[in-house]
Structure formats: C-alpha cells, structure tokens
Amino acid sequence: CMQLLVHSVSVDLNNDASLVIDIPDALCERDKVKFTVHTKTTLSSFQKPEYSVQRQHEDFIWLHDTIVETEEYAGLIIPPAPPKPDFEGPREKMHKLGEGESSMTKEEYAKMKQELEAEYLAVFKKTVQVHEVFLQRLSSHPMFRKDRNFQIFLEYDQDLTVRRKNAKEMFGGFFKNMVKSADEVLISGVKEVDEFFEQEKNFLLDYSSKIKDATAKAEKMTRSHKNVADDYNHISGALNNIAADNNTAFKKHLEKCAEVFEKLRKVEDRMASDQELKLTELLRYYTRDIQAAKDLLYRRARALADYENSNKALDKARLKGKDVAQAEENQKQCLQKFDKLSESGKKELTSFKARRVVAFRKNLIEMTELEIKHAKNSVSLLQGSIEVLKSN
Amino acid sequence: MWFSWSPVAWCCLVSSPEAARLSAEDISPSSNGPKAEPVLLDDDPDDPDDLFAGLTSCESIELSKCYQEQDIYSYTVCVCVCVYITFLSILINFYVCVCMYMCIYIYIYIYIYIYAFIYLYVFFHIYLFVCFLFIYTLFYIIYLFIKIDHSFLCICAHMSILIVINFFVFLGDGMNAYMVYKVLTKTSLSIFSRDEVCVKRRFSDFLGLHSKLASKYMHMGYIVPPAPEKSIVGMTKVKVGKEDLSSVEFVEKRRSALERYLLRTVKHPALLKDPDVLQFLESSELPRAVSTQALSGAGILRMVNKAADAVNKMTIKMNESDAWFEEKQQQFDNLDVQLRKLHASVESLVCHRRELSVNTASFAKSAAMLGNSEDHTALSRALSQLAEVEEKIDQLHQDQACADFYLISELLGDYVRLITAVKGVFDQRMKTWAKCQDAQVMLQRKREAEAKLQHANKPDKLQQAKDEIREWEGKVQQGERDFEQISKNIRREVGRFEKDRVKDFRVVIIKYLESLVHTQQQLIKYWEAFLPEAKAIA
C-alpha cells in the first residue's frame, strides 16, 4: 500500500510539554495500518525521554477497553475509541477501475487512478488524525496520563500482540452491550436528585440523537459533493476526446475547456474534502464523545441505583437484625462511590461542554474560511478562462 | 472630397462590433415568461448566392443591467459622433460653397469655362451633402427603432426573426387531454405576411411539420432538424397529476425543446422559405397531423420503412470516389460516440447536483434541530445560522443544476439527434447512388435486349426497345444529376452545420462558465455573512 508522513494536526492538545505525543507516519499493509507513535516526555515515570513504537488499530482498541474497565476512571469521560480505518470506498473504486480497464482510454484510466489515489490519501489522513487525537486526549488529561496501561502502550517497543477477541469473547461483549442498553432504559427511570444532572441527562439524550442524524446527513452531503467533482472529471475527459478529433482552432478551444473542468474538479474536490474534514468529522467525533458522556451518566446512575439498593438492603438487615454492620459498610461504600462519581462527573461534564463549544467554534470558522478561499479560487479560475475563451 | 467619405466609413466601423455582442442571461425555467431568442441574419461574403448564410443565433432573455448601461452608452456615443460629423460636414460644405460662390463671382467675367466647372463642382458637392444627411437621418431612425425594442442586438441593416413559445394550456380532459402551445413569431422578413403572428399548436403539429419537411428535403441532402421526441410516460404523468414538480419540469423541458426546434428550422435558409413552415408559423388553423400517431397507418408504414432502410444500408456497398465523404462519415461516426459520452457525463452531473441540493436541504434541517437542542446560546445561534446558510446554498445548487441542464445537457441532446439526421443524409446519398447504379444496370440490360432483338429482326419490338433505352438513358442522366446535386448540397450543409456547431458550443460554454462564476460568487457572499456569526461563539 502506501506510507504517509503527516504532521500533527491538532496542536492545542499538546500544550503541555511534559508529555507530547504524535503520529508522524503510518504504513498501510494490505488490510492493516501500522501507526508509528512518537512520544516525547519529561515525566519521571517514563524510563526514557523519547520513544517511537509501532502500533496497530487493535492496540488502540485494547487500550480503550482496559481504561473503560478500570473502576477508578468511572467518574471520568473516557475519550472514545478511534473508529476502524475504513478503506471500503477506495477499495470499491479500485475494483471498478480494474473491471472497467478494458473499456477506458489511457487518459481516462490515468485520471481515475489519480482520483482513487486522492481518495485513498484522504481516508488515510483522516484515520491517522483520529488515532492521534485519541492519544492526545489521554495524554492531556491529568488522570489518564498516569495510567499504567497507557504507559506500556507508549513505551513497550515490541509488538503488543494484543490477542484478538475470539468468538466467545466477542459474543460475550455483544451480550454485555445488550444488557447494558436494557439497564440504561431501566435506570433512566430512576429519579434524579441533582438538578444539574437531570438537566444534563435530558440534554445529552436529546442532543445525541440530533447529532447522530446531523452526522449522517452531513456525510450524504459531502458524498454528493464528491460525486459532482468526479463528474467534472468525466466531462473533462470527454471534451478531450472530442478535441482529439477536431483539427481546427476549435480543438484548442475544446482543450482549454477540458482544462478548465479539470481544474474546477480539483477545487470542488478540495471544497468537499475540507467540508468533510471540518464539519462531518467534527460531528462524527462529537457523536462518539457524547456517547462517552452518556456512559458516564450511566455509570453514575448505576452507582445511584446501587446506593438505593444498599439502602434497601440495610433497612431489611436492620429489620431482620443480622448483618447490619456489613450492610452499613456496603451502604457507606456505595454512598462514597456515588459522591465521588457525582463530583468528578460534574467537573467532567462542565469541561466537556466548554471543550465542545471551543471545538465547534474552531472548526466552523476554519471550514467557513476554507470554503471562502476555495470559492474565490474557483471564481478567479473561471473568470480567467472566460477571458481566454472569449478572446479566442 | 475625402473628408465627405470618412464619416460613412467611421459610422460603419462603429456599428459593426455591436453585431457580435452577446449578453449573459439568467435562465430560470420556473418562470413562464417569454424567452426571446432572436435569430439574426448576416450577409456573408463567403457565399454570395446564399442570402442567409452565416447566421448568428443570439439569446437574450433578460438583458443584464450592465449590458443595458453599456448599450445606452455606446449608442449615445454613436449618435453623438454622427451628429458631430454631420454638423462638421455641413459647416465645411457651407464654407466651401461660400468660397466657391465668391470665386465664381470674381472670375465669372474672366473664365467662363472655369465658371462652368466650379458650378458643377458645387452642385455635386451639395448633392453629396444632402445624400449624407439623408443617410445619417436613416441611421438615426433605425437606432431609435432598435432602442425601443430591446430584443434586437444589432443596429444597421439587419433583418431578424424572433420565435417565442409561451403560454400553454391544457385542453380536453382525462387521457384525451392535450397541451396547446402558443407560438409567437415576430419578424421583419418580407416572406411573412405580417410582423407579428401568434398561433396555437399541438405537439403532434410539430411532429407533422417535421415529417413533411423530412419527406421533402432529406432526399435532396438538406439536414432537417429533428423534432423533440415523444414521451408517453412523461405526458401521461402530466395528464394524471398536473401539479407536482416533475410534471412541471417535463412541460418546461418540452416547451424549450420545441422552441429550439423551431429556431433551428428557421435558421436553415431553404427551410425558412418553405411554404409548410410559413403555414405552420402563420395560419391559425392547421390540418391535424394524424400520421404522427404511433399506431396510425402512417406510423406503421414509417416503422416498416425504417426497418427496410436499415437492411438496405447493410447490403449497399458504395464505391466511394470522393475521399471527402468517407472522411466526413468517419468523423461523424466518431463525433456521435463522443457526444453521447459527453451527454451522459453531463446528465450524471445534473443528477448528482440535484442530489447534492436535496442532501444539503436535509442537512440544513438537521443542523437547525441540532441548534435548537444545543444549550449553549451562542453555539445554538451559530448552528441555526449554519442551517440557514446551508438552505440558501441548497437553493443555489438547485438553480445551478437547472442551468447545467438547460444550457448544456439539452443542447448536447439536440446535437446527438442532429448528428443522427446528418448520418441519415449521408445514407440518402448512398441510396441515390444505389438508384443511379440500378438505373445503369437497367440501361445495360435494355441495350443487351435491343442488341438481341436486332439480330432476331422484329421491327416493332425493336422500336419499343429503342424507346425504352432512351427512357432509361434519361433516367441514368437524371440519377447522375441527382447524385451530383445531393453531393453538392451535402457539402454545403455539412459546412454550415460545422460552423453552427462551433458557434453554438463556444457560446454555450462561455454562458455556462459565467453561470458557475455567479454561483461561486453567491457562495462567497453567504459564507462571508456566516463567518462573523461563527467567530461570535464565545
């Protein structure tokens, strides 16, 4: 496949120089993508100041899962796991290209190959960025950066050889998910004492469905935009074909037109991909993040339910007169856990909102500026070509 | 006298650039307003016996504001220059006349011959001066004439014809309902009886006109523009559910196709003078063209003929003596394939852009809902603004898709059909050649028969044979003449077709690019309006 050298995209998560992570390059082999994770640190807990290790997507998933399963982090919003690299689109195109090779001219084939490579590159860049952001969020959080597993992930220079989940574990995971969603429904009926959390719960439930919908629609929109750009490419090819046959001054005219469409296609493509990167990716990421926030609320609600259960158990024990101390101990623990979760949850959710607003602002501004820039480019390109064509 | 001639030259120089000016127009097919497409006829020095050679077709639907300003400015300049030159020449002429008269007065008693010469000179001068005055006045009157009617783009002595298809009504009901189109013809040509005619025509009338023209002119080698295609599905949809968007689009598509068909037909110099065309455009009652119905007797006959033609085409092996025809045929075959591909790509562009517009609209709604549920007020406002911007952009994409369609896609479709007509004309030539060959074979056979009869000594049959030979000799000669004629016609027609094709494409591409520029500029406007909103998120 290909190798890619990317520069770190989101700088604001790397503000703290004590632990700086980035993914400088990635290699694509068949179906697997190997990321090179580069760490620079001044923390004492690390043995060396600089590391560079090769990690696969499964390793990231393993890291995420272990953090989720850690009891200590129950009160924190755990950064969502990066999605699996999805090369389905380019792969489909490559297939179509292979099939249609005989029916296309050389130029058409070369053009389609170009298109394909551009799309491949875009997907590649996206997946690298998403993985990088995941690590950077972990490193910028005061609690996660101290996590032992995280450190192993960054340090261990051999292959982590994370055992892929076998069938039983996958099924178990699936079952657990089902139980969890059933649980969520039950727990959402639990009465909330805290005003703040009640508001947050309602807001998050509503928002998550809306943002999922918006993500889907944005994806469709950018997809159609890319189709339009591809059509310009085909038109340009067809015009070139017609020009090849004409041997008059008209030929130059047609060739100029074909060139215009070619350039127009590039601009439209950039517009579509920038819109995708800034808007669609933003929405996608926050869909996952909102899900993580909802998980936090779920954990807290679970703790509340546990606390109420322990209360009921204590009352029952007091009635019966046995195991009272145990029940009391249980109740105190539950209460402690619940309080801890509530406190850290509140902090997390507030900072989450601030973070979300900042990210939306940054991305919306960047997207708007890029769209304006591309539109201006295309206006100047078109006007220049109109001048040339009129003078012919 | 050189200074008297220069005003005329100057006037011609100033007015000729106007002839080639085109304006950018704003096509909005949703409006049922008149769409003016004036066709202007030039005197082309290349082909002196073809009065209407070198036609320019200009489209001006709504003259853009800047064009109007430019227009008035240049016309004012022209008039001022004319007036200035008139006065200057009047002054100079007057001065010269006075001088001359003074000379005459002085020398009248000395040189009688000089007197005569000067008298003649003065007279001639005054005559010229009056002529120029007359010409200037003529120019001015024409200019005023054109100023009043903005549909014409050229001043000076140009004749023009304008056809607008407007206003359609639905007559009848149920499945027998049919669409009636109002065809408005505005012209200054003398072959028309009136300046402005408005007639009502049905779609089958157009098809009838085409079939009549095809039967008259195709075999002579003229490229008869093909009529728009029948569409049973489309028409049925319109008849059944008149209100929805796709039927409105279908009707608009058909209306503009019929308009383009008529304009192309009158652009052809021979077809313009044809009595059928004149009758079509002028007479209020037209005999119903039944033969165009698919299941009528004539329809079935047509299908049988088409099949027979196809078989013939495969069996006739023409001995091509003229390399030009072979080359052109090859060229047109290639062009056909390539145009079809281009048309397919443009259609897919239209389809995808429509999709983009739909998706943008649904995203806008979704973003609005997201903004509603967002509890941070500034972000909520920004998201609602984003939804509004996306809605406007969706409308923009829709308009652009319409422009894509009506400007390019329909034109390409027309040309694909035109090339089929051109190929048909080449086939006609082949058929003529085949007829000529058959006649020659027959003549040969008759000659052989006559030779045989001569040996057999049957005087009465011999006479008959000789008569037959003469008849067939005549037919062979006629066949050869026909073949010559059709070849000559085809050469001229193909030349005209190529010129028109190049002109049309040039004009359309520029218009299309201008529409793209307009869209992008609107995009810039919308995004720039949104930017401060995005920055205002605190």
Side-chain angles (χ1 to χ4, degrees):
Chain A
C1 281
M2 42 158 60
Q3 178 149 20
L4 181 70
L5 275 132
V6 232
H7 192 66
S8 162
V9 172
S10 47
V11 223
D12 39 15
L13 288 177
N14 267 340
N15 276 335
D16 188 357
S18 60
L19 184 62
V20 174
I21 306 180
D22 66 308
I23 300 185
D25 77 274
L27 209 84
C28 170
E29 253 173 40
R30 288 173 174 272
D31 268 356
K32 295 198 210 288
V33 185
K34 286 203 164 78
F35 302 95
T36 308
V37 180
H38 175 244
T39 319
K40 263 219 281 250
T41 175
T42 58
L43 292 176
S44 51
S45 48
F46 288 84
Q47 288 168 354
K48 285 194 286 187
E50 197 161 335
Y51 294 94
S52 198
V53 293
Q54 293 264 344
R55 293 286 175 254
Q56 292 187 15
H57 173 70
E58 286 78 23
D59 304 334
F60 287 78
I61 301 296
W62 164 82
L63 180 62
H64 175 258
D65 287 344
T66 47
I67 290 182
V68 165
E69 285 160 11
T70 313
E71 231 0 88
E72 279 182 15
Y73 304 136
L76 307 172
I77 296 182
I78 298 168
K84 200 166 151 68
D86 177 25
F87 289 104
E88 196 51 48
R91 203 173 296 144
E92 211 181 288
K93 254 197 170 152
M94 183 146 71
H95 195 67
K96 250 200 291 189
L97 191 69
E99 274 180 357
E101 184 173 347
S102 49
S103 65
M104 286 192 264
T105 66
K106 240 195 185 165
E107 295 90 22
E108 278 180 0
Y109 186 72
K111 268 211 182 99
M112 279 206 79
K113 222 170 119 192
Q114 240 183 5
E115 252 175 55
L116 182 66
E117 282 177 2
E119 199 170 317
Y120 215 75
L121 196 70
V123 172
F124 211 46
K125 266 205 218 164
K126 235 182 5 181
T127 187
V128 164
Q129 188 194 13
V130 158
H131 285 77
E132 198 179 56
V133 163
F134 171 67
L135 290 179
Q136 284 167 348
R137 269 194 66 185
L138 287 178
S139 73
S140 59
H141 196 284
M143 296 221 47
F144 289 131
R145 61 171 27 194
K146 296 190 221 136
D147 184 64
R148 185 73 202 125
N149 288 316
F150 187 45
Q151 219 176 325
I152 296 173
F153 181 89
L154 293 173
E155 275 187 333
Y156 193 60
D157 50 354
Q158 306 290 324
D159 242 359
L160 276 178
T161 51
V162 166
R163 192 172 46 88
R164 299 199 74 192
K165 294 187 176 160
N166 61 24
K168 193 169 87 172
E169 282 175 347
M170 277 229 186
F171 187 68
F174 180 64
F175 190 65
K176 242 199 305 188
N177 270 336
M178 280 188 60
V179 167
K180 182 162 153 230
S181 11
D183 221 3
E184 268 181 3
V185 172
L186 285 170
I187 283 181
S188 59
V190 166
K191 190 158 169 333
E192 189 56 70
V193 279
D194 196 337
E195 180 69 34
F196 173 79
F197 281 102
E198 181 70 26
Q199 254 182 356
E200 283 296 311
K201 185 174 77 174
N202 291 335
F203 167 68
L204 283 176
L205 279 175
D206 186 31
Y207 201 72
S208 76
S209 66
K210 301 271 166 64
I211 200 171
K212 231 189 278 201
D213 184 49
T215 311
K217 300 275 163 63
E219 266 175 28
K220 267 175 51 184
M221 183 171 75
T222 42
R223 181 113 289 275
S224 325
H225 209 152
K226 287 226 169 90
N227 283 340
V228 168
D230 284 344
D231 281 330
Y232 281 143
N233 207 14
H234 296 147
I235 292 178
S236 163
L239 280 173
N240 265 329
N241 278 343
I242 298 182
D245 259 4
N246 271 293
N247 42 16
T248 52
F250 192 43
K251 174 180 186 171
K252 272 213 281 257
H253 191 92
L254 283 173
E255 282 179 347
K256 187 79 181 70
C257 292
E259 205 186 297
V260 169
F261 274 103
E262 175 79 36
K263 291 201 190 134
L264 208 60
R265 174 212 153 235
K266 289 207 182 99
V267 174
E268 287 285 334
D269 207 31
R270 293 288 303 280
M271 259 184 163
S273 60
D274 280 339
Q275 194 176 50
E276 179 166 18
L277 266 180
K278 299 293 168 191
L279 187 63
T280 317
E281 270 308 302
L282 172 77
L283 290 172
R284 266 197 214 118
Y285 186 74
Y286 276 95
T287 315
R288 290 197 297 269
D289 227 358
I290 296 257
Q291 187 59 42
K294 268 168 69 180
D295 286 343
L296 166 64
L297 279 184
Y298 161 71
R299 289 194 290 270
R300 183 179 162 278
R302 175 86 257 163
L304 178 61
D306 285 344
Y307 170 61
E308 285 187 351
N309 285 342
S310 73
N311 263 341
K312 284 198 202 119
L314 180 62
D315 288 339
K316 234 191 340 190
R318 282 202 179 128
L319 272 177
K320 282 207 195 140
K322 51 181 189 166
D323 295 328
V324 174
Q326 203 185 25
E328 270 185 358
E329 188 56 42
N330 198 12
Q331 191 234 34
K332 219 183 351 179
Q333 269 184 359
C334 284
L335 182 61
Q336 251 181 1
K337 182 165 160 208
F338 176 66
D339 281 337
K340 193 176 93 169
L341 282 186
S342 297
E343 193 188 310
S344 71
K346 205 180 240 176
K347 255 196 308 191
E348 285 281 306
L349 286 170
T350 324
S351 74
F352 170 66
K353 183 191 293 218
R355 203 163 19 99
R356 192 179 77 237
V357 171
V358 165
F360 266 76
R361 178 175 189 274
K362 172 166 170 283
N363 277 319
L364 284 177
I365 292 177
E366 279 178 2
M367 177 184 81
T368 314
E369 284 174 348
L370 280 169
E371 295 283 313
I372 293 177
K373 183 176 102 163
H374 290 316
K376 284 198 174 139
N377 272 350
S378 114
V379 165
S380 64
L381 161 73
L382 285 168
Q383 277 175 338
S385 334
I386 291 176
E387 284 307 317
V388 171
L389 289 173
K390 271 193 178 153
S391 67
N392 253 351
Chain B
M1 284 190 310
W2 60 272
F3 51 77
S4 323
W5 286 111
S6 53
V8 179
W10 197 339
C11 192
C12 280
L13 272 172
V14 167
S15 56
S16 56
E18 320 289 292
R21 186 121 41 103
L22 302 161
S23 68
E25 95 286 15
D26 185 34
I27 299 185
S28 52
S30 49
S31 67
N32 284 338
K35 296 191 196 290
E37 293 199 0
V39 170
L40 298 142
L41 314 171
D42 253 332
D43 282 324
D44 192 348
D46 296 341
D47 197 349
D49 56 349
D50 191 352
L51 232 189
F52 306 125
L55 300 164
T56 344
S57 122
C58 318
E59 293 178 327
S60 80
I61 293 181
E62 282 145 34
L63 292 174
S64 64
K65 184 165 172 286
C66 84
Y67 173 82
Q68 270 183 327
E69 286 176 11
Q70 258 184 328
D71 196 12
I72 290 172
Y73 171 72
S74 65
Y75 282 159
T76 324
V77 162
C78 185
V79 165
C80 283
V81 161
C82 280
V83 167
Y84 168 72
I85 289 168
T86 313
F87 277 117
L88 193 67
S89 62
I90 290 172
L91 270 172
I92 292 174
N93 279 315
F94 192 73
Y95 172 72
V96 164
C97 286
V98 163
C99 281
M100 286 301 154
Y101 271 113
M102 290 205 343
C103 292
I104 292 165
Y105 194 77
I106 292 167
Y107 290 109
I108 193 165
Y109 299 107
I110 306 174
Y111 295 107
I112 297 172
Y113 297 113
I114 293 180
Y115 160 75
F117 173 76
I118 288 167
Y119 184 80
L120 275 167
Y121 175 83
V122 164
F123 224 78
F124 189 48
H125 214 69
I126 292 172
Y127 168 74
L128 270 177
F129 163 67
V130 167
C131 279
F132 291 145
L133 251 186
F134 178 73
I135 292 169
Y136 293 155
T137 325
L138 199 69
F139 284 164
Y140 188 70
I141 289 172
I142 292 171
Y143 153 67
L144 281 176
F145 211 78
I146 281 141
K147 196 172 163 213
I148 293 168
D149 190 355
H150 277 288
S151 318
F152 295 89
L153 289 176
C154 297
I155 52 177
C156 299
H158 278 166
M159 299 173 283
S160 38
I161 175 169
L162 187 141
I163 298 187
V164 174
I165 297 189
N166 212 330
F167 276 64
F168 25 82
V169 290
F170 235 116
L171 292 183
D173 48 20
M175 290 313 287
N176 293 328
Y178 59 92
M179 205 60 131
V180 168
Y181 302 93
K182 244 195 197 175
V183 179
L184 167 69
T185 312
K186 256 205 242 180
T187 176
S188 56
L189 290 171
S190 52
I191 44 177
F192 286 88
S193 55
R194 284 174 286 166
D195 281 350
E196 212 175 296
V197 194
C198 188
V199 292
K200 296 194 177 69
R201 294 284 174 256
R202 287 180 62 162
F203 184 67
S204 51
D205 294 335
F206 288 85
L207 294 180
L209 175 69
H210 170 72
S211 71
K212 274 194 241 165
L213 291 176
S215 61
K216 276 205 272 188
Y217 292 103
M218 276 276 266
H219 67 88
M220 293 210 312
Y222 287 133
I223 301 175
V224 177
E229 284 163 354
K230 266 179 175 275
S231 165
I232 302 176
V233 175
M235 230 22 225
T236 321
K237 266 208 298 199
V238 173
K239 286 180 193 177
V240 169
K242 303 179 197 173
E243 299 306 318
D244 71 325
L245 189 64
S246 68
S247 46
V248 167
E249 270 179 29
F250 173 79
V251 169
E252 175 55 37
K253 196 169 128 173
R254 178 163 275 196
R255 187 205 66 85
S256 79
L258 289 172
E259 209 176 68
R260 282 196 309 272
Y261 164 67
L262 277 184
L263 278 164
R264 226 172 251 127
T265 309
V266 297
K267 247 210 267 186
H268 194 297
L271 294 181
L272 177 59
K273 297 185 242 177
D274 183 85
D276 277 324
V277 169
L278 292 175
Q279 188 194 35
F280 183 88
L281 289 175
E282 286 192 319
S283 72
S284 44
E285 281 305 314
L286 204 64
R288 176 89 192 278
V290 226
S291 64
T292 59
Q293 281 172 347
L295 294 176
S296 67
I300 294 177
L301 191 67
R302 250 204 318 275
M303 276 195 279
V304 168
N305 277 339
K306 245 199 250 182
D309 278 346
V311 168
N312 275 340
K313 203 168 143 182
M314 286 190 278
T315 52
I316 296 178
K317 206 45 180 34
M318 180 158 168
N319 211 350
E320 188 56 78
S321 51
D322 198 342
W324 186 89
F325 281 93
E326 209 171 310
E327 188 192 311
K328 279 296 168 189
Q329 203 142 8
Q330 185 63 33
Q331 215 181 17
F332 278 114
D333 283 337
N334 285 346
L335 190 61
D336 192 21
V337 167
Q338 288 156 356
L339 268 186
R340 273 179 209 269
K341 260 209 264 189
L342 182 63
H343 187 216
S345 312
V346 173
E347 280 192 327
S348 125
L349 173 68
V350 171
C351 177
H352 284 145
R353 219 193 273 278
R354 288 218 168 109
E355 223 178 75
L356 175 62
S357 138
V358 164
N359 288 339
T360 312
S362 73
F363 173 70
K365 282 201 200 80
S366 179
M369 290 206 334
L370 189 67
N372 276 342
S373 72
E374 172 69 58
D375 60 353
H376 188 262
T377 37
L379 183 58
S380 163
R381 196 175 48 233
L383 283 173
S384 314
Q385 289 287 13
L386 179 68
E388 270 178 38
V389 167
E390 293 287 346
E391 233 179 83
K392 286 194 218 151
I393 290 182
D394 136 58
Q395 188 57 45
L396 207 61
H397 283 309
Q398 229 174 30
D399 292 342
Q400 180 64 49
C402 280
D404 289 348
F405 183 68
Y406 285 103
L407 271 179
I408 297 202
S409 177
E410 288 285 87
L411 181 76
L412 285 175
D414 284 348
Y415 267 96
V416 165
R417 280 198 298 274
L418 260 174
I419 288 197
T420 318
V422 171
K423 292 215 279 203
V425 153
F426 277 99
D427 290 341
Q428 285 290 336
R429 181 171 171 272
M430 266 210 307
K431 270 210 300 214
T432 316
W433 181 85
K435 235 171 54 177
C436 187
Q437 289 298 96
D438 286 345
Q440 277 185 344
V441 162
M442 270 310 266
L443 179 65
Q444 190 64 24
R445 238 184 264 163
K446 294 292 179 195
R447 285 214 175 112
E448 284 171 4
E450 192 235 5
K452 255 195 261 178
L453 281 175
Q454 273 204 342
H455 287 303
N457 211 357
K458 288 204 181 117
D460 49 339
K461 285 223 177 115
L462 200 62
Q463 184 55 37
Q464 190 188 24
K466 280 209 197 309
D467 285 337
E468 281 180 355
I469 285 180
R470 226 176 324 184
E471 180 194 333
W472 279 101
E473 273 177 356
K475 282 205 186 140
V476 164
Q477 269 184 351
Q478 181 62 36
E480 282 177 354
R481 263 205 305 271
D482 281 343
F483 186 69
E484 280 302 312
Q485 185 62 35
I486 196 177
S487 301
K488 181 163 151 242
N489 282 344
I490 289 183
R491 274 182 196 262
R492 195 183 55 212
E493 286 288 295
V494 165
R496 199 180 59 89
F497 174 78
E498 304 259 276
K499 255 205 305 192
D500 279 348
R501 175 170 77 100
V502 167
K503 238 180 263 187
D504 273 348
F505 276 11
R506 275 189 200 231
V507 166
V508 156
I509 287 278
I510 289 184
K511 263 198 232 151
Y512 178 66
L513 292 180
E514 283 175 348
S515 82
L516 282 179
V517 167
H518 175 75
T519 307
Q520 297 292 332
Q521 282 171 335
Q522 288 293 99
L523 261 180
I524 292 178
K525 230 176 44 180
Y526 294 149
W527 284 119
E528 280 181 344
F530 176 68
L531 192 58
E533 282 294 333
K535 290 198 168 145
I537 304 173

